[in-house]
Structure formats: structure tokens, C-alpha cells
Amino acid sequence: MDKFIIEGGNRLYGNVQTQSAKNSVLVLLAASVLTEERVTIENVPHISDVLHMSEILRKLGADVRFADGGVTVSSERAEERDISSHLTRELRSSVFMLGSVLTRFKHACISYPGGCDIGLRPIDLHLFGLKKLGVRTEERDGYIVCNAEKLEGENIHLDFPSVGATENIILASVKARGETVITNAAKEPEIRDLQDFLNRMGAKVRGAGTDTVVIEGVKELHGTHFTPMRDRIEAGTFLIACAMCGGEICVEGVRRQNIAALLNKLSENTCKIHIENDKIYIRSNGKPRSNRHIETLPFPGFPTDLQAQMTSLNAVADGACILTENLFETRFKHVPELIRMGADITVKDRTALIRGVGRLHGATVSSEDLRGGAALTLAALAASGTSEVLHLSHIDRGYDGLEKKLSALGAKIRRVGD
Ligand code: UD1
């Protein structure tokens, strides 16, 4: 398995382009089987989650081709097949296939989804929404079996604004009879991207990005070309890297409103932020001040996917930070590794008390999940001495060429195979 070898202590300078959003591309790929016509998604990141999703589409009989940085899906020959391979266990987003496969074939069978081990991640809200649309669901030996003679529009109120449940209900209702209204829907920008994509295919979806999404069922959907939004989490990871290491970088491609919660926090860290259209400039002296309090929340609150990286930042900051993780139960697996690097962090339930120590020292650490792996990489970049970050397969799920982009900014990081 690959690992990073990182020599810490270098400032970062230069420009970095942001990849397309992982969480958008994955749901768009799931949506591509809603039509028999060809769908092209441009500028697709080369990450293992995307490759796994493509494999799932191929298992259904779709033709999936990567060319010129994009992917084309033709699912004319796709058939009603059980999605019960090992792939669904590796990829949480495979659960989106339920909505789109049900719309296409009125039947879906999928093994219980996996993904990062960051807590229970139940799918009760997905199933609740699907049932409201007329789907009969059954959980059998780790499989979810769904059948729908017909899909009928409904009013669906979510108890919690789950991103995946909102997206799945949209996918299951685009061709349902009548109107579906989702209230307390998730407001993440990736849902807006899904709406734009579906509308380009001929769907009638409105309200995404607010807490009420309205889907008027249509009879047919057709093929399209689409360029997804950029990855606000990848962008945030680079901004936090600069805040920790010091220097001056420009992160290109991300809209300010998609990353506003992080920008507020980085100002508290005494970083200087300047924005021109979709270019975010950050300057840091490499001696950040702690955030007093960070609490992860559904969008537009502080994203859970940047929590681990902010743990690293506060570990090297001046002062103390109380960080509360509200979304996932076990999302502190990076903490014991940061402690190996000299961090002073105490975790109780979902709250971490991080006392900044100024500087961490190099160590061999292991990434246990995607964002935790990114957090350890940042910690190593800012630490004194050499570190090894093991188990890059987690990082490779969501970052396309992380080490190449960091090297281009002046970091001393290289990938070696075991
Ligand atoms: C998506 C993102 C993930 C991000 C998360 C929160 C994708 C592929 N992944 O994950 O990167 O961290 O949003 O912003 O887009 N829950 C239930 N029942 C359900 C569904 C969710 O209790 O049926 C709970 C989860 O356990 C969790 C919380 O709701 O505690 C948030 O989950 P959700 O918003 O659904 O996240 P995902 O769609 O899994």
C-alpha cells in the first residue's frame, strides 16, 4: 500500500485548481442511468470512489468510458440486476443507486452500503422517503430489496436534512406521477448541482439549495453534457494547509458562498483572505490563533468533512478550541494519530478539547478515513521533521493527486509504494 513521506516545515506559495466535487460527481453518475441516452460528465476527478461508482454502473450493464478528463455513460443496455457486489460495501454513495434504479426499473436490490467508517450512518430516512413514494422495502440478510409498481408524488418531511436521503428522494421522484415536495431538505450545494443536471435532462426540479425541494414528475429524460461544481472540501483542505504552514496561495474554482463557514473560521485564525470571483487568496504567517469553538452542522453550517483538517489546524495553533462533531459518531479517528505527533487533544463523546501546542513533530501515522487522512497530511506538512502517512487508499477515495498539487505549492511530499 502507498504511503506519503513528508518533510514538514515548508511554506506554501502559488495557485491551485480545485477538482470537481466528489459528492456531486458520485450522485450525477448514479443519476446517469435515469435515461437510456448518453450522459457525459466533464472534468471528473480521478479518485477511487468514482471508479467504484463506475464499476457499479457497469455491473448494471451500462457502458462507462473515461476520455478527455470526463466520463460518458450509455445505459441503453442496462438491465434490472441486483447491485449486490463487494463494491456497494466499499462505497456509501452506492445507496443513491436505489433512487435511480427504482425510477428506471421499478425494482432494486442493493447490499447495505459502506464508505468511511465514521459511525452508524443509517439509511432510515432514505427508506422512509422511498416508502412515501410507494416503494415497498425489505431488509434481508444485509440486502435492501425495493419494489415499486408505480411511483407517486408525495409530501415528504425529513426529520433531519440528510444529504443522501434528499438526493435519493429526488432521484426516485423525477419520473413519479404528480408532484413531490421535500421539506426540511438538505441545502448542500451539491443538491443544487444535481437539480441543474436533472433539469438539463428534462426533469422539473426546483428549490434545491433551500429547505423545500419540489419535483414535478416528467415522462421522459434525455441525455446531456454537464460540468459539475468544484469541490469545496478539497478547496478548504488547501486553504487550511496554507493557514497551518504559512505562505500565500490562491485556490481557484470555488464560490465564496459554498465555503463561507470555513472562511469565517480562517479569519479567526488571523489569516488574511481576499476573494476575486472564484479565486480565494489566503495569506498566513504560519502561526494561527485557535478558534474558540467549532461545531459541525448541515450546510450552510461548518462542514463535517472539514472537521478533521480543522482539528489539525487547532492542534498547532495558539490557544484552545472546543470542537463539536454533530453529524457523525466516530469521526475522531485522526486524534490518536495527531497525539503521536505531539498534539494535546482530549475527546469526550462528540467533543474534542484541542490545546494548541505551536508545533507538532514528525511521526509515522495511519489514515483511518478520507478526511482524517487529509488532516494527518496537513499536520505532517506543518510539523518539524519527517513523517510518514500510511494507508493512502482512504485519501485516494476523494483527492485527485493531493501530493502533486501540494508539491506544486512547495510542500515536500512524495508517494512511495510499499
Ligand atoms: C454526505 C456526504 C458526506 C458528508 C455528509 C454530511 C456524499 C457522497 N457524502 O453523506 O461527505 O459528510 O453528507 O454533510 O455526498 N442519517 C440518518 N438516517 C439516514 C441518513 C442519514 O440518521 O437515513 C444521519 C447520518 O447517520 C448522519 C447524518 O444523518 O449522522 C448526516 O448524514 P447525511 O447528510 O445523510 O450524509 P451522507 O449523505 O451519508
Side-chain angles (χ1 to χ4, degrees):
M1 245 186 283
D2 289 1
K3 62 184 176 190
F4 284 152
I5 299 184
I6 299 172
E7 236 178 81
N10 292 290
R11 287 177 176 252
L12 304 181
Y13 292 96
N15 286 32
V16 59
Q17 274 288 346
T18 314
Q19 69 189 31
S20 289
K22 168 180 88 75
N23 289 350
S24 179
V25 172
L26 291 175
V27 69
L28 301 187
L29 280 171
S32 68
V33 299
L34 289 168
T35 175
E36 291 190 5
E37 293 182 21
R38 187 184 297 173
V39 168
T40 300
I41 305 167
E42 309 283 2
N43 196 20
V44 167
H46 193 77
I47 52 178
S48 61
D49 270 9
V50 163
L51 299 178
H52 282 137
M53 196 57 149
S54 322
E55 281 311 306
I56 292 173
L57 296 175
R58 287 190 180 120
K59 284 258 149 61
L60 285 172
D63 181 43
V64 185
R65 286 172 198 222
F66 289 86
D68 304 325
V71 61
T72 299
V73 181
S74 308
S75 64
E76 199 187 352
R77 297 220 181 92
E79 288 169 4
E80 188 187 313
R81 284 190 204 152
D82 294 353
I83 316 166
S84 48
S85 72
H86 64 284
L87 290 164
T88 57
R89 259 169 261 127
E90 274 189 42
L91 180 63
R92 163 90 185 164
S93 322
S94 54
V95 74
F96 301 129
M97 295 307 298
L98 273 181
S100 49
V101 169
L102 273 168
T103 291
R104 177 88 184 258
F105 302 114
K106 305 286 180 287
H107 167 87
C109 174
I110 181 172
S111 64
Y112 215 83
C116 275
D117 179 16
I118 51 177
L120 278 173
R121 303 190 91 167
I123 58 161
D124 53 314
L125 296 167
H126 299 242
L127 299 181
F128 163 77
L130 296 178
K131 280 183 198 154
K132 291 277 266 182
L133 296 170
V135 179
R136 277 179 290 113
T137 68
E138 203 187 325
E139 288 180 55
R140 213 195 289 149
D141 306 329
Y143 291 88
I144 304 152
V145 186
C146 298
N147 283 294
E149 269 90 64
K150 52 183 190 240
L151 292 158
E152 303 257 14
E154 250 292 3
N155 291 342
I156 302 171
H157 180 82
L158 293 177
D159 281 345
F160 179 86
S162 154
V163 175
T166 303
E167 292 173 333
N168 227 342
I169 295 166
I170 294 173
L171 292 172
S173 59
V174 270
K175 288 176 79 181
R177 214 168 61 118
E179 190 177 81
T180 300
V181 180
I182 311 171
T183 47
N184 199 26
K187 295 183 279 201
E188 268 68 2
E190 290 76 13
I191 295 169
R192 178 92 187 254
D193 224 31
L194 174 64
Q195 166 178 286
D196 292 348
F197 176 79
L198 292 172
N199 288 347
R200 293 270 283 275
M201 293 171 83
K204 288 194 175 154
V205 185
R206 60 181 195 274
T210 74
D211 60 8
T212 304
V213 181
V214 181
I215 306 108
E216 266 178 66
V218 296
K219 287 236 156 28
E220 278 314 315
L221 294 170
H222 50 75
T224 190
H225 265 258
F226 191 79
T227 304
M229 61 175 281
R230 302 295 184 90
D231 199 309
R232 59 197 168 97
I233 305 302
E234 190 210 20
T237 303
F238 290 120
L239 292 170
I240 297 168
C242 183
M244 292 173 68
C245 295
E248 189 167 1
I249 68 167
C250 169
V251 179
E252 295 187 33
V254 166
R255 297 204 185 131
R256 170 209 294 249
Q257 63 267 33
N258 290 350
I259 202 171
L262 174 68
L263 296 178
N264 279 351
K265 290 294 164 198
L266 290 172
S267 301
E268 285 174 21
N269 300 128
T270 63
C271 295
K272 295 276 176 283
I273 311 267
H274 168 70
I275 300 168
E276 277 172 29
N277 302 319
D278 67 350
K279 290 194 173 85
I280 302 177
Y281 295 84
I282 181 168
R283 183 151 46 91
S284 159
N285 64 5
K287 294 189 170 55
R289 189 187 297 153
S290 287
N291 302 105
R292 288 169 70 89
H293 187 215
I294 299 174
E295 182 176 16
T296 65
L297 288 168
F299 190 84
F302 193 88
T304 176
D305 288 349
L306 288 173
Q307 177 263 105
Q309 298 88 318
M310 285 306 268
T311 306
S312 289
L313 188 157
N314 280 282
V316 301
D318 177 20
C321 172
I322 293 178
L323 185 153
T324 307
E325 170 57 60
N326 288 311
L327 279 276
F328 295 108
E329 298 87 9
T330 55
R331 212 173 192 179
F332 282 123
K333 289 192 172 163
H334 47 287
V335 168
E337 304 300 304
L338 288 172
I339 290 172
R340 290 157 87 90
M341 301 178 79
D344 181 352
I345 306 174
T346 314
V347 175
K348 174 99 171 59
D349 301 325
R350 290 181 179 213
T351 297
L353 170 60
I354 310 162
R355 294 188 187 85
V357 294
R359 193 127 211 220
L360 300 174
H361 54 76
T364 297
V365 289
S366 171
S367 58
E368 301 291 329
D369 60 56
L370 165 59
R371 305 304 170 185
L376 296 175
T377 303
L378 302 193
L381 292 175
S384 59
T386 305
S387 296
E388 291 192 4
V389 179
L390 311 180
H391 295 138
L392 298 190
S393 57
H394 291 292
I395 295 176
D396 293 340
R397 284 191 39 222
Y399 291 91
D400 184 354
L402 180 62
E403 73 278 18
K404 291 194 189 106
K405 289 184 173 181
L406 288 168
S407 294
L409 295 174
K412 291 232 168 8
I413 173 169
R414 65 193 164 91
R415 177 186 290 256
V416 294
D418 256 359

